[in-house]
Amino acid sequence: MMRISGFVPQQDLAVDTLTVKEHIQFMANLKMDNRLLKTQREVIVDTLIKDLSLKNCSETLLGEISGGERKRASLAVQMLTDPPLLFCDEPTTGLDSYSAATVVKMLSQLARRGKAVVCTIHQPASDVYILFDRLCLLLPGGHMAYHGDSSAVRAHFQSMGVEFLGSYNPADILLQRLNPRNRDDKIAVMTAFDNSLAKAELTKELAVISNSAGPQSFYFGIEDKFLKYYTIQRPALLLQMRLLLWRTSISMFRNSQRILLRLMMYIFTGLLVSTPYTQLALDQKGIQNFQGFHYAVITETIFCHAYSVMHTFPSEIPVLLREMANGLYKPGPYYFSKVLILVPRAIIETLLFCSVVFYVAQVKGGALGFLMFTAPVIASAVTSTAYGCFISAMFENIATASLLFVPLDFISYTFCGLFLQLSTVPFYLKWVKYISRFYYGIEAISILQWQHVDDIACSNNPDIPCIRTGEGVLEKYGFNSMNLSLDFFAMFIAFCLLHVFGFLNLKRRSKQQSIY
């Protein structure tokens, strides 16, 4: 059924940053036979745009077109494979009377060309009602009240005592009769149809159809006229990923103002974070200042990247779940196309952020010092994007996710090494730091800062403890200079595992969706 039919949903879900033509071309590349030439697909797309009167808005973004135009664009997508059967779920919902009539007239024209068009519709206007060739009227509970030619429905209900006034829309009168006041009225409507000429003709028609197809018209159990729909070759996984990368890149480019604003806020936060730490001094008082600076940079990076992904990724989930349910692409190409976009963006944004805080705080070390400062921050940022993708794929509602993960974040950064002396933590809680998103980044940046410091000036005040070396500083905060490789390796493993679990959750959710 999915192969030989098209389905126009009641709620049109699409990436609003594509133009009408780009959207239809994107769908054509995914839905149509991959063996078709590019020029052949372009001809089909241009013909559909012309036939469905979308020429004037073909270069307009989907988010800026009217409801009627959006419905026709959705119809064009379903017509790409020329299916013989077309299902439309309330195609007039949300449209004004003119737009509704325009959409239904186009469906009527498709039916005249030999397609079977099945629509569910509520409260059709009179000019829409007269376009239907056959009607299936349902009572509450799904019981059939009538099924047959629309021209005979008036006589059928008049035989039951229903009056059709000339100035009234027949559909309104029928809807009143289809909502009976009690059970007896409902049974009466059902009985009237069971005993009607329309029911007898329907039964006879079904018998003729069931007896008309002989064994000679089937190949491997498939009727010959439907065989071409089973031979359509869909694009390979790599091509799916390339197409999804293209769509994501276009969407990101057209949302560049919002992305730029978020980047400016990130950098501005970096200014606020680094301003208290200007002119950091390598003395006893500066030890806490350095560690506070490291903590501020790492935590700001982790929260910024995790929650930015967490609050933007879910907006695409309804679109991708519907497209995957329609068989357009697999979860893998979509998910990893997002990763290929998010990771470079996280690296570039973090480099700009680190450039600002490194300059404002006047951290010494030159180019090598900047690279050593930046490496753990970038690793933390990339890992945090994986964390955001994992949560987005796992939960349908971010508010629900926050109820669980905000307390976990609180526990996580408690064990980052700043608030607790990690070497004094009881043995039964020592494992908590190893699942902390903050611990590895802060330990790595601390090791790179302190491992080559051999002399820290002591205070003239004998009451102030003196830590003479960088190793002593690391020991004070419960860090180990031998753990540098382990920290980066742990963040890499976390990045991989979070994306694997995120992908599996997205795959699970896609299997729960149904096209019909």
Coordinates of all heavy atoms in Angstrom, one line a residue, residues 476-511:
K476 N 46.3 19.1 45.1 CA 45.3 19.8 46.0 C 43.9 19.6 45.5 O 43.0 19.4 46.3 CB 45.7 21.3 46.1 CG 44.6 22.1 46.9 CD 44.9 23.6 46.8 CE 43.8 24.4 47.5 NZ 44.0 25.8 47.4
Y477 N 43.7 19.7 44.2 CA 42.3 19.6 43.7 C 41.9 18.2 43.3 O 40.8 17.9 42.7 CB 42.2 20.5 42.4 CG 42.1 22.0 42.8 CD1 43.3 22.7 42.8 CD2 40.9 22.6 43.2 CE1 43.3 24.1 43.2 CE2 40.9 23.9 43.6 CZ 42.1 24.7 43.5 OH 42.0 26.0 43.9
G478 N 42.8 17.2 43.6 CA 42.4 15.8 43.4 C 42.7 15.4 41.9 O 42.1 14.3 41.5
F479 N 43.5 16.1 41.2 CA 43.8 15.7 39.8 C 45.1 15.0 39.7 O 46.0 15.1 40.6 CB 43.8 16.9 38.9 CG 42.5 17.7 38.9 CD1 42.5 19.1 38.9 CD2 41.3 17.0 38.8 CE1 41.3 19.8 38.8 CE2 40.1 17.7 38.7 CZ 40.1 19.1 38.8
N480 N 45.4 14.3 38.6 CA 46.6 13.5 38.5 C 47.2 13.9 37.1 O 46.5 13.7 36.1 CB 46.3 12.0 38.6 CG 47.6 11.2 38.6 OD1 48.6 11.6 38.0 ND2 47.5 10.0 39.2
S481 N 48.4 14.3 37.0 CA 49.0 14.7 35.8 C 49.1 13.6 34.8 O 49.3 13.8 33.6 CB 50.4 15.3 36.0 OG 51.2 14.4 36.6
M482 N 49.1 12.3 35.2 CA 49.2 11.2 34.4 C 47.9 10.9 33.6 O 47.8 10.0 32.8 CB 49.6 9.9 35.2 CG 50.9 10.1 35.9 SD 52.3 10.4 34.8 CE 52.4 8.8 34.0
N483 N 46.8 11.6 34.0 CA 45.5 11.3 33.4 C 45.1 12.1 32.2 O 44.0 12.1 31.7 CB 44.4 11.6 34.5 CG 44.4 10.6 35.6 OD1 45.0 9.6 35.5 ND2 43.7 10.9 36.7
L484 N 46.1 12.9 31.6 CA 45.7 13.8 30.5 C 45.2 13.0 29.3 O 44.1 13.3 28.7 CB 47.0 14.6 30.1 CG 46.7 15.6 28.9 CD1 45.7 16.6 29.3 CD2 48.1 16.2 28.5
S485 N 45.9 11.9 28.9 CA 45.5 11.1 27.8 C 44.2 10.4 28.1 O 43.3 10.3 27.3 CB 46.5 10.0 27.4 OG 47.8 10.7 27.1
L486 N 44.0 10.0 29.4 CA 42.8 9.4 29.8 C 41.6 10.3 29.7 O 40.5 9.9 29.3 CB 42.9 8.9 31.2 CG 41.7 8.2 31.9 CD1 41.3 7.0 31.1 CD2 41.9 7.9 33.3
D487 N 41.8 11.6 30.0 CA 40.7 12.6 30.0 C 40.2 12.8 28.5 O 39.0 12.8 28.3 CB 41.2 13.9 30.5 CG 41.4 13.9 32.0 OD1 40.7 13.1 32.7 OD2 42.3 14.6 32.5
F488 N 41.2 12.9 27.6 CA 40.8 13.1 26.2 C 40.1 11.8 25.6 O 39.2 11.9 24.9 CB 42.0 13.5 25.3 CG 42.3 15.0 25.4 CD1 43.3 15.4 26.3 CD2 41.5 15.9 24.8 CE1 43.7 16.7 26.4 CE2 41.9 17.3 24.9 CZ 42.9 17.7 25.7
F489 N 40.7 10.7 26.0 CA 40.1 9.4 25.6 C 38.7 9.2 26.1 O 37.8 8.7 25.4 CB 41.0 8.2 26.0 CG 40.5 6.9 25.6 CD1 40.6 6.5 24.3 CD2 40.0 6.0 26.6 CE1 40.1 5.2 23.9 CE2 39.5 4.8 26.2 CZ 39.6 4.4 24.8
A490 N 38.5 9.6 27.4 CA 37.2 9.4 28.0 C 36.2 10.3 27.3 O 35.0 9.9 27.1 CB 37.3 9.8 29.5
M491 N 36.6 11.6 27.0 CA 35.6 12.4 26.2 C 35.3 11.9 24.9 O 34.2 12.0 24.4 CB 36.2 13.9 26.2 CG 36.1 14.6 27.5 SD 36.6 16.4 27.4 CE 38.3 16.3 27.5
F492 N 36.3 11.3 24.2 CA 36.1 10.7 22.9 C 35.1 9.5 23.0 O 34.2 9.4 22.2 CB 37.4 10.2 22.3 CG 37.2 9.4 21.0 CD1 36.9 10.0 19.8 CD2 37.4 8.0 21.0 CE1 36.7 9.3 18.7 CE2 37.3 7.3 19.9 CZ 36.9 7.9 18.7
I493 N 35.3 8.7 24.0 CA 34.4 7.5 24.2 C 33.0 8.0 24.6 O 32.0 7.5 24.1 CB 34.9 6.6 25.4 CG1 36.2 6.0 25.0 CG2 33.9 5.6 25.8 CD1 36.1 5.0 23.8
A494 N 32.9 9.0 25.4 CA 31.6 9.6 25.7 C 30.9 10.2 24.5 O 29.7 10.0 24.2 CB 31.7 10.7 26.7
F495 N 31.7 10.8 23.6 CA 31.2 11.3 22.3 C 30.6 10.2 21.5 O 29.5 10.3 21.0 CB 32.3 12.1 21.6 CG 31.9 12.5 20.2 CD1 31.2 13.6 19.9 CD2 32.3 11.7 19.1 CE1 30.9 14.0 18.6 CE2 32.0 12.0 17.8 CZ 31.3 13.2 17.5
C496 N 31.3 9.1 21.4 CA 30.9 8.0 20.5 C 29.6 7.3 21.2 O 28.7 7.0 20.5 CB 32.0 7.0 20.4 SG 33.4 7.6 19.5
L497 N 29.7 7.0 22.5 CA 28.6 6.3 23.1 C 27.3 7.2 23.1 O 26.2 6.6 22.9 CB 29.0 6.0 24.5 CG 30.0 4.9 24.7 CD1 30.3 4.7 26.2 CD2 29.5 3.6 24.1
L498 N 27.4 8.5 23.4 CA 26.2 9.3 23.4 C 25.6 9.3 22.0 O 24.3 9.3 21.9 CB 26.6 10.7 23.8 CG 26.9 10.9 25.3 CD1 27.5 12.2 25.6 CD2 25.6 10.7 26.1
H499 N 26.4 9.4 20.9 CA 25.8 9.4 19.6 C 25.2 8.0 19.2 O 24.2 8.0 18.5 CB 26.9 9.8 18.6 CG 27.1 11.3 18.4 ND1 26.0 12.1 18.2 CD2 28.2 12.1 18.5 CE1 26.4 13.4 18.1 NE2 27.7 13.4 18.3
V500 N 25.9 7.0 19.7 CA 25.3 5.6 19.4 C 23.9 5.5 20.1 O 22.9 5.1 19.5 CB 26.2 4.5 19.9 CG1 25.5 3.2 19.9 CG2 27.5 4.5 19.0
F501 N 23.9 5.9 21.4 CA 22.6 5.8 22.1 C 21.6 6.8 21.5 O 20.4 6.5 21.4 CB 22.8 6.1 23.6 CG 23.5 5.0 24.3 CD1 24.5 5.3 25.2 CD2 23.1 3.7 24.1 CE1 25.2 4.3 25.9 CE2 23.8 2.6 24.8 CZ 24.9 3.0 25.7
G502 N 22.0 8.0 21.1 CA 21.1 8.9 20.4 C 20.5 8.3 19.2 O 19.3 8.4 18.9
F503 N 21.4 7.7 18.3 CA 21.0 7.1 17.1 C 20.0 6.0 17.3 O 18.9 5.9 16.7 CB 22.2 6.6 16.3 CG 21.8 5.7 15.2 CD1 21.1 6.1 14.1 CD2 22.2 4.3 15.3 CE1 20.8 5.3 13.0 CE2 21.8 3.5 14.2 CZ 21.2 3.9 13.1
L504 N 20.3 5.1 18.3 CA 19.4 4.0 18.6 C 18.0 4.5 19.1 O 17.0 3.9 18.8 CB 20.0 3.1 19.7 CG 21.3 2.3 19.2 CD1 21.9 1.5 20.3 CD2 20.9 1.4 18.0
N505 N 18.0 5.6 19.9 CA 16.7 6.1 20.4 C 15.9 6.7 19.2 O 14.7 6.6 19.1 CB 17.0 7.2 21.4 CG 17.1 6.6 22.8 OD1 16.1 6.1 23.4 ND2 18.3 6.6 23.4
L506 N 16.6 7.4 18.3 CA 16.0 8.0 17.1 C 15.4 6.8 16.3 O 14.3 6.9 15.7 CB 16.9 8.8 16.3 CG 16.3 9.6 15.2 CD1 15.4 10.7 15.7 CD2 17.4 10.3 14.4
K507 N 16.1 5.8 16.1 CA 15.7 4.6 15.3 C 14.5 4.0 16.0 O 13.5 3.6 15.3 CB 16.8 3.6 15.2 CG 16.6 2.5 14.2 CD 17.8 1.6 14.1 CE 17.5 0.5 13.1 NZ 18.7 -0.4 12.9
R508 N 14.5 3.9 17.3 CA 13.4 3.3 18.0 C 12.1 4.1 17.8 O 11.0 3.6 17.6 CB 13.7 3.2 19.5 CG 12.5 2.9 20.4 CD 12.9 3.0 21.9 NE 13.3 4.3 22.2 CZ 12.5 5.3 22.5 NH1 11.2 5.2 22.5 NH2 13.0 6.5 22.9
R509 N 12.3 5.5 17.9 CA 11.1 6.4 17.7 C 10.6 6.3 16.3 O 9.4 6.4 16.1 CB 11.5 7.8 18.1 CG 11.7 7.9 19.6 CD 12.2 9.3 20.0 NE 11.1 10.3 19.7 CZ 11.3 11.6 19.9 NH1 12.4 12.1 20.4 NH2 10.3 12.5 19.6
S510 N 11.5 6.2 15.3 CA 11.0 6.1 13.9 C 10.2 4.9 13.7 O 9.3 4.9 12.9 CB 12.2 6.2 13.0 OG 13.0 5.0 13.1
K511 N 10.5 3.8 14.3 CA 9.8 2.5 14.1 C 8.4 2.6 14.7 O 7.5 1.9 14.3 CB 10.5 1.4 14.8 CG 11.8 0.9 14.0 CD 12.4 -0.3 14.6 CE 13.7 -0.7 13.8 NZ 14.3 -1.9 14.4

